[in-house]
């Protein structure tokens, strides 16, 4: 029997939203994108909150794992439109807000790197710009990832560059130990993290960070190319849905600055 949730969003009240039955068996760990709707998370995948650790200068330095917020009932639905009153979970608001969620992002094919950095006697780092969601780890006040790799022969700098790669939740940065060698990836657990990022001295919600090669299916049933690190949009504004493109950050920056101007 379909689950019913009463939602109030975007000026509409008393709307009855019929979801897929959450009690249907789903033994396989996977994420299935619902057409013009939420992410359906199947197979008991745990959900956590990961927060950026910030420097005194407002730079992200690391991810700090936080509390687990996995719902008791499985499968569960995660918001994709950004309007849910029960965020990060879906409350059906996408149907009241005209959300379309058209999926145009590069999810099913391998990409060529847009930048290759070769460290002297060190790692080869590759950047895939179409996947970048502006997490901010690769450009710090004292150095960028290029300074710490291609333009440095210091092994300690190379390790900092590798840390930048590993902190990139979108997989827009990868590295190999040799120019022709395979990519080196962390052994990440199969889990999802709601990310929270530093922005203008505050913390904002970022995308869903999908880890460990969890299978993801688009609403047209086309599977994602398997990847260890993926970020999925949950603000409803990305130009490469279902992937995050960092638009949430520019939107939040504008809102925070506007609010601070009003308080001045």
């Amino acid at each position: 029997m379909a689950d019913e949730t009463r939602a109030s969003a975007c000026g509409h009240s008393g709307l009855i939203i019929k979801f897929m039955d959450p009690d249907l068996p789903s033994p396989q760990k996977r994420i299935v994108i619902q057409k013009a709707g939420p992410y359906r998370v199947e197979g008991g995948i745990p959900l956590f909150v990961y927060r950026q650790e910030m420097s005194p200068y407002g730079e992200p330095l690391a991810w700090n794992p936080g509390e687990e917020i996995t719902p008791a009932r499985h499968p569960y639905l995660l918001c994709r439109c950004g309007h849910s009153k029960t965020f990060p979970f879906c409350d059906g608001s996408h149907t009241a807000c005209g959300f379309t969620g058209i999926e145009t992002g590069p999810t099913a094919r391998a990409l060529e790197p847009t930048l290759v950095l070769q460290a002297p006697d060190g790692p080869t780092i590759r950047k895939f710009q179409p996947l970048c969601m502006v997490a901010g780890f690769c450009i710090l006040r004292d150095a960028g990832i290029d300074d710490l790799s291609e333009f440095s022969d210091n092994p300690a700098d190379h390790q900092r560059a590798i840390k930048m790669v590993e902190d990139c939740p979108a997989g827009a940065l990868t590295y190999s130990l040799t120019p022709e060698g395979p990519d080196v990836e962390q052994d990440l657990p199969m889990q999802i993290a709601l990310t929270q990022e530093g922005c203008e001295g505050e913390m904002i919600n970022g995308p869903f960070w999908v880890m460990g090669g969890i299978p993801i299916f688009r609403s047209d049933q086309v599977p994602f190319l398997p990847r260890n690190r993926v970020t999925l949009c949950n603000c409803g504004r990305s130009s490469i849905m279902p992937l995050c493109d960092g638009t949430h950050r520019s939107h939040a920056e504008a809102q925070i600055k506007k609010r601070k101007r009003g308080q001045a």
Side-chain angles (χ1 to χ4, degrees):
M1 183 176 179
D3 191 24
E4 293 188 351
T5 300
R6 190 172 296 272
S8 176
C10 301
H12 297 269
S13 61
L15 179 67
I16 297 296
I17 306 298
K18 290 185 178 295
F19 293 125
M20 300 172 67
D21 191 336
D23 295 321
L24 290 175
S26 54
Q28 180 186 1
K29 286 182 168 60
R30 65 177 187 172
I31 299 172
V32 181
I33 300 171
Q34 309 297 288
K35 186 175 181 180
Y39 303 107
R40 178 180 165 95
V41 182
E42 303 178 352
I45 300 171
L47 177 65
F48 294 87
V49 176
Y50 272 45
R51 297 181 179 89
Q52 286 183 341
E53 177 185 333
M54 307 301 291
S55 79
Y57 305 103
E59 307 162 308
L61 300 177
W63 288 107
N64 288 330
E67 64 270 25
E68 182 174 357
I69 55 172
T70 311
R73 300 183 69 186
H74 294 273
Y76 58 90
L77 302 176
L78 291 177
C79 177
R80 192 156 72 99
C81 71
H83 290 282
S84 175
K85 299 297 188 295
T86 59
F87 188 89
F89 305 105
C90 173
D91 68 355
S93 294
H94 56 277
T95 63
C97 298
F99 177 71
T100 60
I102 298 173
E103 298 155 46
T104 60
T107 59
R109 69 181 190 279
L111 300 176
E112 292 297 321
T114 52
L115 177 67
V116 179
L117 301 171
Q118 178 58 61
D121 296 319
T124 300
I125 294 174
R126 299 172 179 84
K127 183 171 185 176
F128 301 86
Q129 187 62 40
L131 302 178
C132 180
M133 46 72 66
V134 202
F137 289 98
C138 61
I139 303 177
L140 299 181
R141 181 170 175 266
D142 64 336
I145 195 169
D146 52 345
D147 301 306
L148 299 173
S149 56
E150 189 163 276
F151 300 116
S152 175
D153 57 6
N154 186 338
D157 285 346
H158 299 168
Q159 288 303 308
R160 287 183 66 193
I162 288 173
K163 177 68 163 53
M164 289 176 170
V165 171
E166 293 178 340
D167 281 334
C168 173
L173 294 171
T174 65
Y175 81 96
S176 58
L177 298 178
T178 63
E180 304 302 325
D183 287 341
V184 179
E185 283 283 345
Q186 299 179 88
D187 185 16
L188 296 176
M190 296 182 76
Q191 64 182 32
I192 302 171
L194 168 63
T195 60
Q196 294 185 340
E197 306 169 356
C199 179
E200 297 292 322
E202 301 182 10
M203 297 301 292
I204 63 170
N205 286 321
F208 295 121
W209 178 5
V210 181
M211 309 178 198
I214 296 172
I216 306 173
F217 292 85
R218 296 168 63 117
S219 62
D220 58 8
Q221 304 304 310
V222 175
F224 277 38
L225 186 72
R227 289 171 42 219
N228 195 38
R229 294 170 286 144
V230 181
T231 47
L232 297 178
C233 173
N234 58 27
C235 74
R237 296 182 175 90
S238 175
S239 63
I240 55 169
M241 287 186 188
L243 303 178
C244 172
D245 68 354
T247 300
H248 66 279
R249 173 173 288 275
S250 58
H251 178 77
E253 286 176 351
Q255 294 297 310
I256 293 171
K257 289 178 180 178
K258 181 179 179 181
R259 188 185 73 243
K260 289 181 177 179
R261 284 195 302 268
Q263 294 174 349

